[in-house]
Amino acid sequence: LLLTGRSAPTGEKSGRLAELAGLGEVDYRQLDIADGAGLRAAVNAFETRWGRPLDGVFHLAGADPSGQWSRLDQHTIARESAATFAEQYRAKVAGTLAIAELLRARPGAALILFGSVNGEFGGHSFGAYSAANSFLAGFADAWHHEEHRPVRCLAWSRWEGVGMYRDQPAAPAQRRGFRSIEPDNGLRLFLRAVAAPRHYLLIGLDLDNPVLTSELVPDRLRASELIVAYTRSEERRVGKECRSRW
C-alpha cells in the first residue's frame, strides 16, 4: 500500500501508519497530489520495487473548509475569493486530473473518488468547497461514459468524530438531511458502495427529512440548479461573468 499526503507522517498519522504496517507492507510519501511529476515518480518507483502494476487509486485529498464556519456569509459562490477557489480546487480538481494522467497508461487500474454531498446539493455557504466536489461527479461521469474506465465517485455526508468536521457540530448538517456516519458503519457503507453497479453514489442522506426530499423533486431541480464552471484559459472571464450576474 502506497499512501501520499502533503503533511509529514508525525503524531496521530504516524500511529495510524504503524497500525497499517501490521497488516502488510505500507509506505508513505510526502507529496502534493496535484504534483503530477512527483506522483508519477512515486508510483513508478513502487511498481518497480513491488514488481507489479498499480491496482487502483483512492483519492481522498481535500482542503479543509471547517474554518469557514465563523464567516459563512463570506463563502457563498458570489462572495468567495479567488484564493479560496484555488485552494479548494487544487486537491479535488488539479489532483484528480493528475491522477487521471497517471492512470492513462494503466488501463486496468480503478479509481475511487471521495467527495461530499455538498457537491450535489450545494450549501448555504462553502461555495468553493461545493464546486470542487461537484467537479468529482462530473469527472466520474466522463471517466465512466467516455473513457469506459472503472470509477466510483462516493459523495459522503458528515463522518462522526473523524475527518474535516470532527470538531464541528452535527446539528446544521442534520437539519439539511445529512446524517452523521460512524466510522464502523462508514466502512460497511464503503464496501457496499464499491460493489454497487452505479459509478456515482450519495451516502448518508436522511430520506425522511422534508428539507432534503424537497430538493429531490425533479421539477425543482430543473428550476434551481446552477452550475459554475471554467477552463484554465477562460478563468478570468468566467470569474467576472459570475460576479456580474450575482
Side-chain angles (χ1 to χ4, degrees):
L1 177 64
L2 171 62
L3 297 170
T4 67
R6 287 167 291 183
S7 58
T10 58
E12 182 181 355
K13 180 175 286 186
S14 177
R16 294 291 188 183
L17 288 171
E19 290 180 18
L20 288 172
L23 302 175
E25 189 172 357
V26 178
D27 208 303
Y28 179 85
R29 287 293 176 94
Q30 186 176 352
L31 61 86
D32 188 329
I33 195 64
D35 177 5
L39 184 62
R40 289 192 298 274
V43 171
N44 288 338
F46 281 93
E47 285 180 326
T48 300
R49 173 177 160 182
W50 289 328
R52 59 176 297 162
L54 182 70
D55 291 311
V57 175
F58 295 88
H59 181 25
L60 294 87
D64 185 356
S66 59
Q68 298 178 14
W69 278 101
S70 61
R71 295 292 303 277
L72 291 177
D73 61 317
Q74 294 301 311
H75 296 285
T76 62
I77 285 286
R79 295 181 176 178
E80 189 58 271
S81 69
T84 302
F85 271 106
E87 177 187 35
Q88 291 295 331
Y89 278 26
R90 183 161 183 81
K92 296 297 186 187
V93 179
T96 300
L97 295 177
I99 292 169
E101 190 62 30
L102 173 77
L103 296 185
R104 289 194 186 281
R106 297 166 173 84
L111 174 59
I112 298 180
L113 305 167
F114 279 61
S116 167
V117 291
N118 283 49
E120 177 71 23
F121 294 97
H124 300 300
S125 191
F126 302 107
Y129 175 76
S130 299
N133 279 280
S134 181
F135 171 83
L136 298 181
F139 177 87
D141 277 343
W143 202 239
H144 173 74
H145 291 295
E146 298 178 17
E147 303 292 336
H148 307 291
R149 297 292 299 267
V151 62
R152 293 286 187 278
C153 179
L154 310 181
W156 298 89
S157 63
R158 179 185 182 277
W159 283 60
E160 186 73 36
V162 296
M164 295 179 179
Y165 294 102
R166 64 190 306 170
D167 298 320
Q168 301 299 326
Q174 291 173 347
R175 284 195 293 269
R176 289 199 65 197
F178 304 150
R179 296 180 183 274
S180 293
I181 300 174
E182 294 186 355
D184 286 346
N185 190 39
L187 291 174
R188 287 191 289 269
L189 291 170
F190 168 76
L191 294 174
R192 291 177 61 184
V194 296
R198 297 185 181 276
H199 65 278
Y200 178 47
L201 292 170
L202 300 164
I203 305 173
L205 302 184
D206 179 4
L207 296 180
D208 292 324
N209 185 301
V211 175
L212 179 77
T213 54
S214 68
E215 295 189 45
L216 296 175
V217 176
D219 289 342
R220 173 162 181 169
L221 290 177
R222 286 193 293 270
S224 65
E225 280 191 339
L226 171 69
I227 297 175
V228 177
Y230 74 91
T231 63
R232 291 179 182 177
S233 62
E234 297 183 331
E235 179 176 357
R236 291 184 180 179
R237 180 183 64 79
V238 174
K240 289 179 181 178
E241 289 182 0
C242 288
R243 291 189 186 94
S244 66
R245 292 175 185 175
W246 289 84

